[in-house]
């Protein structure tokens, strides 16, 4: 018994030291004091005590005596580490250095500091920014007819273009000193949400100039002459920008572009000058057909040494006016019936002077770094905000439609199958809204959130695709018949576009989220890689020794914390929150520790081959993503002052995300290459088994119900979108109708009861209503309300039909006439 107590005491002391991540010396002292106490007591026997003291000396002495530790432990590990670590390419190095680390680094640490995270307020719109949303943005939404844009015009009307230019929609990121709006990222997000919620075409036109484009690049790298010339012209709309990156043979692998330029002598304005002869073939370039200035990425070569000794200089950027001789621009792609301007740019033997290089000759060869640094910001805002806006509109519309549309004498939103889809719509919209707001706030805080930007781009567009799919299922035939009355069809058609652009989602998930995060956000890995680059051997050994044992301590601590927190349901974890939310912080603290340990195990096992293990990397990326999304939702909930009415949506979204964390971790463990280690990993990560469950039906019912009627929760979920009930905007019309539909429901039940009991008869609604009115079953006002709701509801559920010539608009003379007539009517 005393031996068991002795072993247990040593184990508890060691686990406690690991849990609190004490230094090696502290662990040594704690174990020594424990042994001393048992030695004084003479228990459990001198042989056991002697063996324990010898084991402690054998382990602790080389660990605490640093010269021995460096010689016998660190040096061999350093040699092995250098062999197993892949050489980081220049492309990867640039990508790693481009971003900063925010709260995602806390999640990698295994012990997130929640109080500091949630107490930092989310940025709010300034008075000027709110006025822009209430004024020019609202006016823009009033002007847009998505059917006219997508079918009759295949583009924006002239008055919309003028409005965009006049009010600086292309200049949200340009500083005021150059005539721009100088808006915050939070305002940028709010504008895109509102605009994309009514038209993905207009949303794309607004997003691109404020994302990866010449303006962003000019502000960071342009020469003063370039800034002074271009930024004011971009701000007032005299110049429309686009940026050509993707080429025919290089999409996601952008650094392998075949587009090239050769430094040479050529004639410019009647004089021989040193310049660049370009040959390029770009495609998928948004705004290219209407652009007046083209940003271009190409590989630059200097075979004659006119600029220096390097022949292959690398990726370089230039700005070309539209009328540059030899450049062909204007033809269009047609991306899935979403006619935002998009098309190819081709150039053959295009000669440009060195003045056209973005940033001048100082930045030649640095184009990839320039692009990655800007893309980390743009990716964090443009697509997540646009996807959120579309999802908010879909959530508002689908909730209203599911209450208005009736089958079997009840709203379709009351059917459990529809409730399931409504709950997903609400939960995903809540999650992506919190995610997009958190990443935008990180930009406002001065960060370059490369990893959160990748998380936001991937998950916002993926969740948005699920939202629009569920919305289409609920609308049924209403959703698939295109026309002015359809407010979902174009969004459904366009969903794959947002999945694909700015880094295809498969690539983003399998390579970028964890691939960059594992190095960039880990507390030690990047520092260890940097230590390998130290030239002085002694200095390199000293630096690596300190990092190595800190890393080992981190891994052991995370393993112990994961096990203990899993075993105790994290009840002893110090977390903020109230009675409802404290359990959420505890779960995230537990899974953060488990994730950090599992990430270390994966990197140790696979080493440099982890880049090729895309399924494992993707699953680990899923864990990191869901931890980050849950954190964003909790921060949103705290920022909104913990509204009790929102708890159901938060709970649904949180349990859905945590279940995905469990599933992804299980996938990593079940596919771990060392079968004998899987039981150990399961014990550390899931000591009580897999206890997480999907949101249950009762919770789903509560969430679905919130979408079916006006409430503060529904308003918060969909805040910031366009809800005018003007002609041509069915979503706003439904919103105005919804309260009357709810008010009419008791009267409909009264009418149905009268029909079933034989008090009234007839086969059509009008005759039934007339009889009920005449017999005093309904008052004048009640009968009028039912009649009005019936009429307006039929208008909502109606679908469009066309003459063939109208469907063929633009293909026949008659189609041309109808197209022009419809455009005139819309105007």
């Amino acid at each position: 018994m005393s031996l068991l107590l002795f072993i247990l005491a040593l184990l508890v002391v060691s686990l406690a030291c690991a849990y609190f991540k004490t230094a090696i010396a502290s662990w040594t002292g704690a174990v020594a004091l424990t042994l001393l106490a048992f030695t004084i007591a003479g228990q459990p026997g001198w042989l056991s005590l002697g063996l324990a003291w010898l084991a402690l000396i054998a382990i602790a002495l080389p660990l605490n005596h640093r010269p021995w530790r460096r010689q016998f432990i660190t040096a061999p590990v350093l040699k092995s580490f250098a062999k197993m670590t892949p050489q980081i390419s220049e492309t990867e190095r640039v990508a790693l250095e481009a971003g900063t680390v925010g709260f995602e680094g806390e999640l990698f640490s295994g012990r997130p500091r929640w109080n500091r995270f949630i107490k930092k307020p989310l940025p709010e719109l300034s008075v000027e920014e709110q006025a822009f949303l209430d004024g020019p943005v609202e006016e823009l939404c009033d002007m847009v007819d998505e059917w006219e844009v997508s079918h009759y015009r295949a583009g924006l009307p002239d008055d919309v273009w003028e409005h965009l230019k006049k009010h600086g929609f292309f200049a949200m990121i340009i500083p005021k000193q150059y005539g721009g709006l100088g808006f915050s990222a939070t305002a940028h997000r709010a504008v895109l949400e509102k605009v994309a919620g009514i038209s993905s075409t207009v949303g794309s036109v607004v997003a691109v100039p404020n994302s990866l484009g010449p303006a962003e690049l000019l502000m960071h790298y342009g020469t003063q002459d370039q800034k002074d010339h271009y930024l004011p012209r971009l701000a007032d709309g005299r110049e429309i920008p686009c940026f050509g990156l993707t080429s025919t043979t290089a999409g996601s692998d952008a650094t392998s572009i075949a587009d090239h330029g050769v430094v040479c002598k050529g004639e410019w304005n009647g004089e021989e000058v040193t310049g660049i002869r370009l040959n390029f073939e770009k495609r998928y370039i948004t705004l290219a057909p209407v652009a007046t200035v083209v940003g271009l990425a190409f590989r630059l070569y200097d075979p004659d040494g006119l600029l220096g000794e390097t022949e292959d200089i690398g990726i370089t950027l230039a700005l070309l006016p539209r009328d540059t001789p030899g450049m062909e621009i204007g033809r269009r792609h047609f991306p899935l019936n979403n006619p935002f301007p998009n098309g190819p740019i081709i150039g053959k033997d295009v000669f440009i002077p060195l003045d056209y290089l973005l940033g001048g000759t100082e930045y030649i060869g640095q184009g990839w770094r320039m692009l990655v640094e800007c893309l980390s910001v743009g990716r964090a805002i443009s697509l997540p905000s646009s996807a959120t806006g579309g999802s908010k509109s879909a959530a508002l519309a689908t909730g209203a439609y599911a209450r208005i549309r009736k089958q079997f004498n009840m709203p379709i939103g009351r059917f459990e199958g529809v409730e399931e889809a409504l709950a997903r719509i609400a939960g995903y919209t809540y999650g992506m809204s919190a995610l997009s707001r958190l990443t935008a706030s990180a930009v406002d805080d001065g960060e370059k959130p490369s990893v959160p930007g990748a998380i936001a781009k991937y998950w916002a567009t993926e969740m948005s695709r699920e939202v629009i799919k569920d919305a289409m299922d609920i609308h049924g035939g209403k959703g698939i018949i295109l026309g002015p009355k359809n407010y979902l069809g174009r969004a459904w058609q366009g969903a794959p576009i947002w999945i694909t652009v700015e880094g295809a989602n498969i690539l983003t998930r399998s390579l970028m989220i964890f691939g960059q995060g594992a190095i960039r956000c880990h507390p030690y890995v990047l520092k260890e890689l940097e230590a390998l680059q130290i030239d002085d051997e002694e200095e390199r050994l000293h630096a690596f020794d300190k990092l190595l044992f800190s890393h080992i301590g981190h891994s052991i601590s995370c393993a112990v914390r994961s096990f203990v927190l899993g075993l105790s349901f994290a009840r002893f974890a110090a977390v903020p929150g109230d009675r409802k939310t404290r359990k959420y912080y505890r779960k995230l603290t537990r899974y953060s520790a488990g994730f950090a340990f599992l990430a270390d195990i994966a990197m140790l096992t696979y080493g440099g081959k982890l880049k090729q293990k895309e399924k494992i990397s993707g699953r680990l990326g899923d864990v990191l993503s869901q931890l980050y999304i849950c954190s964003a939702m909790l921060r949103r909930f705290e920022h909104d002052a913990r509204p009790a009415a929102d708890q159901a949506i938060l709970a649904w979204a949180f349990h859905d995300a945590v279940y995905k964390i469990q599933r992804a971790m299980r996938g990593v463990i079940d596919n771990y290459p060392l079968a004998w280690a899987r039981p150990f990993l399961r014990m550390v990560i899931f000591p009580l088994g897999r206890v997480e469950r999907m949101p249950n039906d009762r919770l789903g019912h509560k969430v679905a119900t919130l979408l079916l009627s006006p409430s503060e929760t529904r308003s918060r979920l969909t805040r910031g979108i366009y809800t005018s009930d003007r002609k041509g905007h069915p979503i706003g019309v439904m919103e105005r109708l919804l309260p009357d539909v709810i008010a009419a429901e008791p009267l409909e039940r009264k009418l149905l009861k009268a029909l079933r009991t034989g008090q009234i008869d007839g086969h059509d609604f009008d005759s039934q209503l007339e009889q009920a009115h005449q017999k005093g079953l309904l008052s004048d006002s009640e009968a009028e309300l039912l009649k009005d709701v019936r009429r307006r509801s039929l208008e909502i559920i109606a679908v469009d039909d066309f003459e063939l010539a109208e469907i063929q608009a633009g293909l026949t003379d008659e189609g041309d006439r109808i197209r022009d007539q419809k455009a005139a009517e819309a105007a």
Side-chain angles (χ1 to χ4, degrees):
M1 186 65 181
S2 60
L3 178 61
L4 182 63
L5 183 64
F6 174 65
I7 294 173
L8 187 62
L10 290 176
L11 183 62
V12 168
V13 168
S14 296
L15 287 176
C17 289
Y19 184 92
F20 292 106
K21 202 177 178 181
T22 62
I24 295 175
S26 300
W27 169 80
T28 303
V31 173
L33 286 173
T34 305
L35 283 176
L36 183 61
F38 276 91
T39 301
I40 293 172
Q43 296 294 333
W46 295 110
L47 178 61
S48 298
L49 289 168
L51 290 174
W53 278 109
L54 286 174
L56 177 63
I57 292 170
I59 295 171
L61 191 59
L63 291 180
N64 285 279
H65 190 266
R66 296 194 176 185
W68 289 0
R69 188 175 83 185
R70 295 186 192 110
Q71 181 179 356
F72 297 110
I73 301 175
T74 304
V77 172
L78 176 59
K79 189 176 294 184
S80 299
F81 184 71
K83 289 180 180 178
M84 69 181 288
T85 301
Q87 187 70 29
I88 297 179
S89 68
E90 179 66 15
T91 299
E92 293 172 313
R93 185 186 64 78
V94 168
L96 289 171
E97 293 176 353
T100 58
V101 179
F103 186 71
E104 66 279 10
E106 301 263 337
L107 298 173
F108 255 99
S109 75
R111 49 179 72 228
R113 291 172 288 185
W114 294 112
N115 281 309
R116 190 173 76 165
F117 175 67
I118 65 174
K119 286 182 179 178
K120 189 174 184 179
L122 291 168
E124 299 285 358
L125 298 175
S126 68
V127 174
E128 180 186 5
E129 291 167 343
Q130 186 62 57
F132 186 77
L133 277 168
D134 296 339
V137 178
E138 186 78 9
E139 293 165 8
L140 172 65
C141 294
D142 287 339
M143 299 168 70
V144 173
D145 182 329
E146 180 69 347
W147 181 246
E148 178 200 356
V149 167
S150 63
H151 184 67
Y152 293 118
R153 291 184 179 274
L156 305 186
D158 292 341
D159 60 337
V160 172
W161 278 110
E162 288 305 313
H163 185 84
L164 292 172
K165 295 175 182 179
K166 176 182 177 181
H167 294 284
F169 278 83
F170 303 147
M172 287 189 283
I173 63 172
I174 296 177
K176 292 184 177 181
Q177 70 187 87
Y178 294 105
L181 298 178
F183 279 176
S184 65
T186 300
H188 182 181
R189 165 188 175 269
V191 171
L192 289 181
E193 264 194 14
K194 191 165 187 173
V195 175
I198 187 173
S199 170
S200 59
T201 301
V202 183
S204 299
V205 169
V206 173
V208 169
N210 293 287
S211 179
L212 177 61
E216 180 87 11
L217 292 163
L218 281 165
M219 289 189 300
H220 287 88
Y221 312 108
T223 66
Q224 194 58 51
D225 286 344
Q226 288 172 341
K227 292 178 183 178
D228 291 340
H229 175 74
Y230 278 115
L231 289 178
R233 298 172 66 85
L234 290 168
D236 63 22
R238 281 176 289 169
E239 300 281 10
I240 301 295
C242 73
F243 194 89
L245 176 59
T246 304
S247 66
T248 52
T249 58
S252 298
D253 184 15
T255 57
S256 67
I257 53 177
D259 309 304
H260 63 277
V262 177
V263 181
C264 62
K265 296 288 186 179
E267 186 177 334
W268 188 258
N269 291 336
E271 297 181 8
E272 186 181 65
V273 299
T274 300
I276 299 168
R277 193 165 299 282
L278 295 166
N279 284 278
F280 52 88
E281 189 171 348
K282 303 292 187 180
R283 60 180 178 177
Y284 313 145
I285 311 305
T286 299
L287 294 189
V290 297
T292 61
V293 58
V294 177
L296 196 72
F298 57 93
R299 182 169 288 278
L300 182 63
Y301 297 92
D302 186 13
D304 298 328
L306 298 178
L307 298 180
E309 297 179 358
T310 305
E311 180 176 344
D312 183 356
I313 295 176
I315 303 295
T316 301
L317 310 183
L319 290 176
L320 282 65
R322 184 186 183 94
D323 58 1
T324 301
M327 182 168 66
E328 298 176 20
I329 184 171
R331 291 183 63 82
R332 294 183 179 236
H333 301 309
F334 194 22
L336 291 175
N337 273 343
N338 280 254
F340 57 88
N342 185 281
I345 307 174
I346 300 172
K348 294 182 180 180
D349 292 329
V350 178
F351 183 79
I352 61 171
L354 296 179
D355 291 347
Y356 279 20
L357 294 177
L358 205 155
T361 55
E362 180 184 349
Y363 284 99
I364 58 172
Q366 300 186 48
W368 181 238
R369 176 175 66 84
M370 296 158 71
L371 289 171
V372 169
E373 288 180 350
C374 291
L375 187 60
S376 68
V377 175
R379 185 188 282 125
I381 299 173
S382 296
L383 286 172
S385 304
S386 299
T388 301
S391 296
K392 285 183 174 183
S393 290
L396 193 72
T398 307
Y401 185 82
R403 189 66 177 263
I404 294 168
R405 182 73 163 115
K406 293 180 172 61
Q407 293 286 275
F408 306 103
N409 296 313
M410 65 183 290
I412 62 172
R414 300 299 188 193
F415 290 92
E416 288 194 357
V418 174
E419 279 188 350
E420 221 173 4
L422 286 172
R424 279 194 299 269
I425 290 172
Y428 288 165
T429 301
Y430 188 89
M432 76 178 80
S433 178
L435 173 61
S436 68
R437 186 167 186 184
L438 181 61
T439 49
S441 72
V443 175
D444 280 332
D445 289 339
E447 296 181 23
K448 294 179 179 178
S450 56
V451 174
I455 292 171
K457 189 274 171 180
Y458 176 83
W459 284 100
T461 54
E462 287 291 338
M463 288 192 287
S464 177
R465 175 159 61 176
E466 293 301 308
V467 166
I468 191 63
K469 183 190 77 173
D470 282 329
M472 289 288 288
D473 283 353
I474 292 171
H475 280 75
K478 169 73 173 177
I480 65 174
I481 304 301
L482 288 175
K485 295 183 177 71
N486 188 315
Y487 40 85
L488 291 175
R490 294 304 192 202
W492 169 249
Q493 289 178 315
I497 299 172
W498 326 127
I499 296 294
T500 302
V501 298
E502 289 196 21
N505 274 11
I506 289 178
L507 168 77
T508 301
R509 175 180 179 267
S510 59
L511 292 179
M512 294 180 64
I513 295 176
F514 182 77
Q516 287 188 17
I519 298 176
R520 192 77 187 90
C521 305
H522 194 285
Y524 301 107
V525 170
L526 183 58
K527 295 175 183 176
E528 289 167 340
L529 292 173
E530 290 171 344
L532 287 180
Q533 310 305 316
I534 298 175
D535 293 329
D536 184 84
E537 187 175 337
E538 190 68 20
E539 184 183 350
R540 180 169 65 247
L541 184 62
H542 277 68
F544 190 79
D545 175 76
K546 182 178 179 180
L547 291 167
L548 173 65
F549 282 91
S550 295
H551 191 161
I552 293 172
H554 164 77
S555 297
I556 294 173
S557 176
C558 287
V560 171
R561 283 172 59 81
S562 175
F563 177 75
V564 172
L565 293 172
L567 207 59
S568 63
F569 294 100
R571 283 197 171 89
F572 306 112
V575 296
D578 56 18
R579 184 177 63 86
K580 294 281 189 180
T581 59
R582 200 171 292 124
K583 60 186 176 182
Y584 299 153
Y585 290 106
R586 286 171 177 161
K587 280 183 183 288
L588 294 186
T589 300
R590 171 205 167 176
Y591 285 119
S592 173
F595 165 70
F597 172 66
L598 209 53
D600 274 347
I601 290 294
M603 287 188 281
L604 176 65
T605 304
Y606 297 106
K609 294 182 179 178
L610 184 57
K611 287 196 297 185
Q612 283 78 47
K613 297 294 180 181
E614 295 175 22
K615 295 175 185 176
I616 297 297
S617 180
R619 293 183 185 112
L620 289 168
D622 291 344
V623 179
L624 176 60
S625 298
Q626 295 302 328
L627 287 170
Y628 189 80
I629 292 169
C630 286
S631 304
M633 292 190 296
L634 287 170
R635 187 169 177 186
R636 168 187 173 152
F637 189 71
E638 298 285 350
H639 182 78
D640 289 342
R642 301 177 182 172
D646 292 7
Q647 285 176 351
I649 294 184
L650 172 64
W652 192 100
F654 186 89
H655 287 301
D656 177 77
V658 171
Y659 181 78
K660 289 173 180 172
I661 290 173
Q662 177 181 268
R663 185 177 62 195
M665 285 181 156
R666 177 186 177 183
V668 174
I669 295 172
D670 288 350
N671 290 279
Y672 191 68
L674 305 177
W676 58 266
R678 292 172 196 161
F680 168 72
L681 293 176
R682 292 190 187 102
M683 181 189 70
V684 171
I685 304 297
F686 304 119
L688 297 177
R690 295 186 293 273
V691 298
E692 306 301 341
R693 298 290 181 268
M694 287 289 290
N696 61 38
D697 294 347
R698 184 180 177 186
L699 181 58
H701 169 74
K702 289 181 179 178
V703 173
T705 301
L706 290 171
L707 283 186
L708 296 177
S709 57
S711 67
E712 290 185 3
T713 297
R714 188 168 178 269
S715 296
R716 275 190 294 269
L717 181 67
T718 60
R719 62 188 164 198
I721 65 170
Y722 179 68
T723 58
S724 169
D725 61 349
R726 54 116 172 136
K727 182 181 178 182
H729 188 234
I731 296 176
V733 174
M734 281 195 293
E735 276 302 287
R736 300 301 177 269
L737 172 59
L738 184 58
D740 291 338
V741 168
I742 295 171
E745 285 178 350
L747 305 179
E748 290 173 341
R749 289 193 291 270
K750 184 189 293 188
L751 190 66
L752 184 61
K753 182 180 180 181
L755 183 63
R756 286 174 176 171
T757 58
Q759 293 177 277
I760 61 175
D761 56 21
H763 299 290
D764 64 278
F765 176 81
D766 290 337
S767 64
Q768 293 167 4
L769 183 62
E770 181 64 27
Q771 290 179 58
H773 184 213
Q774 288 177 354
K775 292 183 179 183
L777 299 176
L778 296 173
S779 67
D780 292 346
S781 60
E782 289 174 336
E784 187 58 36
L785 175 61
L786 276 177
K787 186 176 181 180
D788 179 62
V789 167
R790 174 79 168 185
R791 176 185 58 79
R792 293 158 66 194
S793 296
L794 289 174
E795 290 175 357
I796 289 298
I797 67 176
V799 297
D800 297 286
D801 53 79
F802 307 92
E803 294 287 347
L804 178 60
E806 189 173 353
I807 296 176
Q808 294 174 328
L811 301 179
T812 66
D813 292 339
E814 178 64 10
D816 284 337
R817 186 191 65 76
I818 294 174
R819 179 197 60 198
D820 294 340
Q821 177 186 339
K822 293 291 184 180
E825 290 173 358

